[in-house]
Amino acid sequence: MDRGRVIEFLAQIPLLQRLPSLSLRKIAQSVRVKRYENGEYVVREGKTGELIYFILEGQAEISGPADAEKGNYPTVSLKKFDTFGHENYGCINRANVIALSKLTCLLLSDHYSNLLQPKSIWNADEASEGFSLVERTLCLEPLEVDIFRGFTLPGSPSFRQVFGGQFIGQALAAASKTVDCLKLVHSLHALFILAGHNNVPIIYHVHRIHDGKNFATRQVDAQQNGRVIFILLASFQQKVVEEFEHQEVCMPHVPDPETLPNLEELRERRLSDFNIPIREYRNKINSKKFIPWPIEIRSCDAINFSEQSEPRLKYWFKARGKLTADPALHRCVVAYASDLIFGGISLNPHRRRGLKTASLSLDHSIWFHRPVRADDWLLFVMESSSASGGRGLCNGQMFNKSGQLIMSITQEGLIRKAKVAVQNEVPKSKL
């Protein structure tokens, strides 16, 4: 049987969609095809189970053991994409499975059941500890089909609440693990409802809105303490149609990233530059433990959050450390990074020394135009076209080093004078 067809079939089984794409490909290489006639036993009660079955074509029925008290036999119908069998070698079958029509199954030996339990949702062979912090942040824990749990890991960007990019990246990761690995996100729209607690796990519940041949749609609700605090709607596309293509926008002329200092180097320069008459600034910065972000940023423009400046910024960025090659992961990483500094540029024309300001993401949209590598340098060009009503609108574009437009981003955020924080305050709606 054609392996491409096998992968395409397996990728539509909910149980397998949360696996790394490499695990899916290994399963496709390990299964064998077996056919049954109408009425034939596929599995017999009481026999030792050594296989996992995936129904490719036809229908079957599970006939459970007799209920001694009620005297009946419960039955369950099985159809295409359904799975049955054992994940542990030597288990005894507890029911009969009988073909109700001509039946074709893919059989996976229990010897390969370890492929169903990888150490990471992105990588089939290695534990996530050896990978980038951002990948470990996006490595969610599957709880049930379509339900995942995420955490804020030590060393993540800290803003007294869950970083907005973490919500976007983790929710997109959850959605990506419920579509087949041949489909990649091409657009997403996110709505921030409540601030998240850094020390509380986040539950991501994925709703399967639509599954088509070329497109799939997912809605993800992020919850903490039983309350929905973030919603993401994402659309996925399978086949890339190479028909019409154009790019009107050009990447601006900027220095190469290798010639620019990163944010950590700029910080050290400012701390050691005693020509800057801001003793309080240095004392405040030195009093805090500094942890680099999992995204390396090298700005093409001066970044100054205490003085008035133009509502625009350009910087190069890439993920720090090792990333798995899964293209879905790289889109999640770039989505995660897209919220860094972005919304704050709408405050640039209004900054002045001594004025404390705050910005919070309200909604965020991304369109993916071309393939992306999050561990290669990308240029993020952003500007704020408007600010009014306590909200600032920002538009952004991301280019690779070849000048190709990779993504377009739009965000509206809440901008205001900073308020004094109240300890143990219950999160309130941003709206």
Side-chain angles (χ1 to χ4, degrees), residues 286-349:
N286 278 321
S287 66
K288 294 182 178 180
K289 182 180 179 181
F290 176 69
I291 302 176
W293 286 347
I295 303 296
E296 182 175 1
I297 292 177
R298 300 193 177 194
S299 180
C300 305
D301 305 316
I303 300 179
N304 191 332
F305 295 136
S306 62
E307 295 181 357
Q308 188 180 67
S309 60
E310 295 293 324
R312 55 183 58 89
L313 183 67
K314 301 182 291 295
Y315 66 71
W316 293 98
F317 77 93
K318 69 175 180 178
R320 297 181 189 270
K322 180 181 178 182
L323 288 179
T324 300
D326 192 321
L329 168 65
H330 284 254
R331 298 197 177 204
C332 292
V333 172
V334 176
Y336 171 98
S338 67
D339 194 40
L340 282 170
I341 308 178
F342 188 30
I345 64 169
S346 59
L347 278 168
N348 286 1

Side-chain angles (χ1 to χ4, degrees), residues 241-277:
V241 180
E242 299 290 348
E243 290 186 358
F244 307 110
E245 184 171 337
H246 75 274
Q247 178 180 318
E248 289 295 308
V249 63
C250 295
M251 184 175 76
H253 294 288
V254 295
D256 291 335
E258 293 79 9
T259 67
L260 298 169
N262 59 32
L263 294 186
E264 292 71 42
E265 292 168 336
L266 288 175
R267 176 182 181 274
E268 291 301 320
R269 289 182 187 180
R270 289 176 180 173
L271 290 176
S272 60
D273 185 0
F274 289 93
N275 291 320
I276 301 178

Side-chain angles (χ1 to χ4, degrees), residues 34 44 47 66 127 139 146 196 208 211 254 269 272 295 309 313 320 346 356 368 372 380 395 408 415:
K34 188 169 183 180
R44 287 186 179 271
K47 299 293 183 181
C139 190
D146 300 341
R208 298 172 181 252
D211 279 294
V254 295
R269 289 182 187 180
S272 60
I295 303 296
S309 60
L313 183 67
R320 297 181 189 270
S346 59
K356 296 184 180 299
F368 297 82
V372 61
F380 195 175
N395 302 294
S408 297
I415 56 174

Side-chain angles (χ1 to χ4, degrees), residues 23 180 256 363 375:
S23 290
D180 66 71
D256 291 335
D363 52 58
D375 50 5

